[in-house]
């Protein structure tokens, strides 16, 4: 009846500590929520096998927000008032997390977003945390890569006007690219869910750019890549973490091959901890984990470790414990939370290959 449906988890009882997750399990960002859910599940399974927290088992209640901020807000309220969770994990897309953060902060329930990079998310208040870097850094990373490695002089930008993430990343990239001596010939825009981008791409083509920055989500980016080639644009496309989905290869086909995006983690990282996570994930879910899975896993493990340290399970106690997270060894980098409740980490640049990504370089703050 218009209510988000619970898709798993166990209700809270005396022997269980209940966490909540709000994620996109359907809609244009579906792979984001599903990967995150898998990562969280894996972390909980390991923690329970190791004895749980404060003598209790951990469980998670998951709600689908259908890739919509309104649904994300509603699901958050439900986790707080009905399920009475001790802490909330989610979401991925920043616009959804912004809607959630409003509710979590007002209720004094700690929230950790694994992967929302828009600066304003954690500015919603002292109960809101993230275990990933923020977009002012991510925009810098691709601007630097475009200038120093790809040696691009003139680029165009194509942004999603319905996404807080895309708008901000577009701004940051533009500012940084210009500071580094490059030129942004034009900035065009679309709305999430659009299917025809030919008018914008044709306008872009007229400016004869050396590359196009498309800080959007995979559902749209894949189609944009195909239509870019169709209108005769042969230059590389560049993007951010929102590209990270195995669906990108399917939607973009050969049109997206050879393009670059910034991300939180690379499955090619030889680090033993990362490779163990990948092997465990594959054994359970059957595919290579993407950055969302890695960050979902890290967010859940940061949460669990904080619950262990917290003097009790009240909102303020859990909040204070999370805030003290320091040098936590995640699979998507080490997590130390700064006074703005953000993690400061390096980013990787990945190249899109045939059905998989290829690690190119790491850029540090
Ligand atoms: N950073 C994106 C946002 O804030 C979400 C995202 C993270 C997407 C990682 C894919 C991978 O909207």
């Amino acid at each position: 009846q218009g209510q988000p449906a619970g898709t798993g988890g166990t209700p809270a009882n005396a022997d269980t500590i209940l966490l909540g997750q709000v994620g996109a399990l359907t809609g244009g960002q579906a792979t984001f929520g599903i990967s995150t859910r898998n990562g969280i599940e894996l972390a909980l399974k390991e923690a329970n096998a190791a004895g749980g927290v404060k003598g209790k088992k951990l469980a998670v209640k998951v709600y689908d927000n259908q890739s919509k901020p309104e649904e994300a807000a509603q699901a958050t309220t439900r986790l707080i008032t009905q399920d009475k969770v001790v802490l909330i994990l989610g979401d991925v897309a920043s616009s959804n997390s912004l809607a959630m953060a409003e509710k979590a902060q007002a209720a004094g329930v700690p929230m950790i977003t694994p992967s929302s990079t828009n600066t304003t998310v954690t500015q919603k208040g002292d109960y809101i945390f993230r275990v990933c870097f923020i977009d002012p850094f991510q925009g810098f990373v691709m601007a630097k890569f475009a200038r120093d490695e790809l040696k691009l002089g003139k680029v165009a930008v194509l942004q999603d006007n319905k996404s807080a993430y895309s708008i901000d990343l577009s701004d940051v990239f533009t500012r940084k690219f210009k500071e580094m001596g490059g030129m942004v010939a034009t900035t065009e825009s679309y709305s999430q869910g659009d299917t025809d981008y030919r008018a914008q791409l044709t306008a872009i083509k007229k400016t004869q750019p050396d590359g196009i920055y498309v800080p959007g989500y995979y559902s749209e980016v894949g189609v944009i890549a195909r239509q870019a080639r169709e209108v005769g644009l042969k230059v590389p496309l560049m993007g951010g973490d929102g590209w990270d989905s195995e669906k990108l290869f399917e939607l973009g086909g050969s049109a997206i091959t050879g393009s670059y995006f910034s991300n939180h983690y690379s499955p090619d990282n030889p680090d033993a901890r990362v490779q163990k996570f990948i092997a465990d994930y594959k054994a359970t879910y059957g595919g290579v984990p993407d950055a969302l899975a890695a960050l979902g896993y890290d967010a859940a493990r940061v949460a669990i470790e904080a619950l262990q340290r917290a003097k009790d399970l009240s909102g303020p106690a859990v909040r204070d414990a999370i805030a003290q997270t320091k040098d936590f060894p995640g699979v998507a980098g080490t997590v130390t939370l700064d006074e703005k409740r953000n993690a400061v980490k390096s980013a990787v640049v990945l190249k899109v290959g045939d059905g998989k990504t290829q690690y190119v370089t790491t850029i540090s703050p």
Side-chain angles (χ1 to χ4, degrees):
Q1 349 86 334
Q3 292 282 343
T7 51
T10 318
N13 61 48
D15 312 319
T16 309
I17 298 175
L18 189 65
L19 315 185
Q21 185 203 345
V22 178
L25 305 177
T26 57
Q29 304 146 13
T31 67
F32 291 170
I34 294 167
S35 289
T36 305
R37 186 188 59 190
N38 293 347
I40 293 172
E41 233 174 54
L42 193 60
L44 259 60
K45 203 169 80 183
E46 288 173 9
N48 283 334
V53 169
K54 299 194 189 323
K56 298 176 186 227
K57 292 286 179 209
L58 295 154
V60 61
K61 179 86 183 175
V62 187
Y63 287 113
D64 177 17
N65 63 33
Q66 300 162 33
S67 305
K68 294 176 193 148
E70 317 79 66
E71 296 290 337
Q74 212 182 45
T76 305
T77 299
R78 210 165 163 194
L79 283 174
I80 294 166
T81 58
Q82 186 178 312
D83 304 308
K84 306 205 184 323
V85 298
V86 300
L87 158 169
I88 297 170
L89 299 167
D91 188 19
V92 174
S94 289
S95 294
N96 298 341
S97 291
L98 283 165
M100 291 172 63
E102 198 91 48
K103 304 289 181 193
Q105 178 66 31
V109 174
M111 165 177 149
I112 306 176
T113 166
S115 43
S116 287
T117 46
N118 183 275
T119 313
T120 60
V121 174
T122 47
Q123 289 172 357
K124 290 280 174 190
D126 59 347
Y127 280 84
I128 316 300
F129 302 87
R130 80 179 103 215
V131 296
C132 57
F133 53 64
I134 57 176
D135 286 330
F137 173 63
Q138 183 167 210
F140 155 81
V141 165
M142 196 39 80
K144 184 171 164 59
F145 184 76
R147 287 295 291 156
D148 294 358
E149 302 300 324
L150 301 178
K151 314 272 184 220
L152 305 186
K154 180 167 71 172
V155 300
V157 177
L158 179 55
Q159 74 182 34
D160 174 356
N161 265 350
K162 254 185 151 173
S163 153
Y165 156 77
S166 187
I167 295 168
D168 197 47
L169 200 45
S170 155
D171 280 357
V172 179
F173 172 87
T174 300
R175 200 160 7 95
K176 297 290 174 192
F177 193 73
K178 286 179 177 166
E179 273 171 29
M180 294 173 197
M183 175 186 166
V184 175
T186 183
T187 301
E188 303 287 326
S189 60
Y190 63 91
S191 286
Q192 224 162 86
D194 285 355
T195 51
D196 187 351
Y197 308 91
R198 291 176 186 89
Q200 296 93 317
L201 291 165
T202 304
I204 287 174
K205 193 181 171 207
K206 286 205 186 94
T207 68
Q208 298 185 301
D210 307 324
I212 311 169
Y213 189 56
V214 193
Y217 294 137
Y218 68 92
S219 295
E220 286 84 15
V221 170
V223 182
I224 288 170
R226 281 186 195 267
Q227 293 181 2
R229 304 315 176 209
E230 230 176 87
V231 306
L233 279 162
K234 297 194 179 73
V235 296
L237 306 185
M238 298 164 285
D241 54 357
W243 285 28
D244 189 20
S245 169
E246 58 182 30
K247 291 258 182 253
L248 182 74
F249 310 109
E250 208 175 294
L251 292 166
S254 61
I256 194 83
T257 306
S259 292
Y260 298 90
F261 67 103
S262 51
N263 206 359
H264 305 266
Y265 126 112
S266 160
D268 297 335
N269 186 338
D271 182 277
R273 188 159 18 90
V274 176
Q275 289 307 320
K276 174 166 191 318
F277 163 71
I278 294 174
D280 292 346
Y281 188 94
K282 271 190 186 158
T284 314
Y285 304 104
V288 177
D290 55 20
L292 287 322
L295 288 168
Y297 180 76
D298 284 354
R301 290 185 62 235
V302 162
I304 292 163
E305 195 244 358
L307 289 171
Q308 245 139 14
R309 275 189 286 108
K311 70 176 196 314
D312 56 56
L313 297 177
S314 67
V318 174
R319 173 201 60 195
D320 292 347
I322 299 170
Q324 282 153 18
T325 302
K326 202 170 172 289
D327 299 328
F328 185 87
V331 291
T334 302
V335 181
T336 295
L337 294 178
D338 67 12
E339 71 288 353
K340 291 178 173 158
R341 300 169 298 282
N342 301 320
V344 181
K345 303 159 105 181
S346 49
V348 294
V349 175
L350 303 179
K351 185 174 187 175
V352 183
D354 190 13
K356 65 197 272 292
T357 55
Q358 191 191 323
Y359 170 81
V360 180
T361 186
T362 300
I363 298 182
S364 297

